[in-house]
Amino acid sequence: MPDHLKHGLTLAGLIALVAVGALWGWGALTKPFPKLSGSDQTSPCVEVAVSEGDKVRPSQVWVSVLNASNRVGLASVTLDKLVERGFGKGDTGNAPSDAKVRLAQVWTADVSNPAAQLVRSQLGAVRIVAHPELGSRVVVVVGKQFQDLKKGQDFVAARGDATICSPRDTGV
């Protein structure tokens, strides 16, 4: 086989390898926010139906915290404080790069969810933002201006029928 043919095939093979790597990298980079639904058996929470007027307490609410700031450990510290107040310990991590949160936000599928309302009471006057992909889960996103939890409510009465994500070990 002539040298120019060997070099051409080698170059074509390397270009194909780089193209496959670039496609894989682009797919990983643009992967959507993970779907967090409490329906699978490996989930640390279980979906629980609550009726209008039922009291939802911290021990019934599983919560995760994401960090939208450059302050290392902010999500972990915030989650630990929520757990000290009786909330179920969810996950921590970094917020998606497009999350523009200065103080804090509560993310959940249904903004009227009593679990989200209860978590919000621990944060002060922050917004609850609808993220349908979260299902019944509640995620707190803390930003660079977030300082500390506020004195929150001990319970929230459901204003309508709802589904909350409760820690598996509560027996609720």
Side-chain angles (χ1 to χ4, degrees):
M1 182 181 294
D3 281 345
H4 70 281
L5 187 58
K6 284 184 199 177
H7 295 302
L9 288 174
T10 302
L11 183 59
L14 290 173
I15 289 172
L17 187 62
V18 168
V20 168
L23 287 173
W24 175 82
W26 182 255
L29 181 67
T30 60
K31 187 175 179 181
F33 193 65
K35 182 175 181 181
L36 302 172
S37 85
S39 60
D40 65 339
Q41 289 296 48
T42 61
S43 174
C45 73
V46 61
E47 290 188 342
V48 175
V50 293
S51 300
E52 183 175 354
D54 286 352
K55 291 179 180 178
V56 176
R57 300 182 186 284
S59 63
Q60 296 172 274
V61 178
W62 187 89
V63 63
S64 293
V65 181
L66 299 178
N67 187 351
S69 78
N70 57 0
R71 291 167 46 198
V72 175
L74 182 60
S76 295
V77 168
T78 304
L79 181 59
D80 288 345
K81 289 179 179 183
L82 287 166
V83 169
E84 286 175 13
R85 293 186 180 191
F87 289 89
K89 187 171 187 171
D91 302 318
T92 60
N94 291 322
S97 59
D98 62 344
K100 305 298 182 216
V101 177
R102 288 185 185 161
L103 182 59
Q105 290 180 353
V106 177
W107 291 0
T108 190
D110 177 9
V111 297
S112 65
N113 185 303
Q117 299 288 333
L118 181 60
V119 171
R120 176 186 177 193
S121 77
Q122 309 296 314
L123 301 168
V126 301
R127 290 183 346 150
I128 299 178
V129 180
H131 281 269
E133 71 275 10
L134 294 175
S136 62
R137 291 192 180 189
V138 176
V139 176
V140 172
V141 183
V142 288
K144 66 181 179 180
Q145 293 179 358
F146 180 77
Q147 295 300 317
D148 206 353
L149 299 179
K150 309 294 183 209
K151 172 142 177 51
Q153 296 173 267
D154 294 331
F155 66 88
V156 169
R159 294 184 181 155
D161 294 345
T163 302
I164 63 172
C165 192
S166 290
R168 285 195 175 274
D169 57 0
T170 61
V172 178

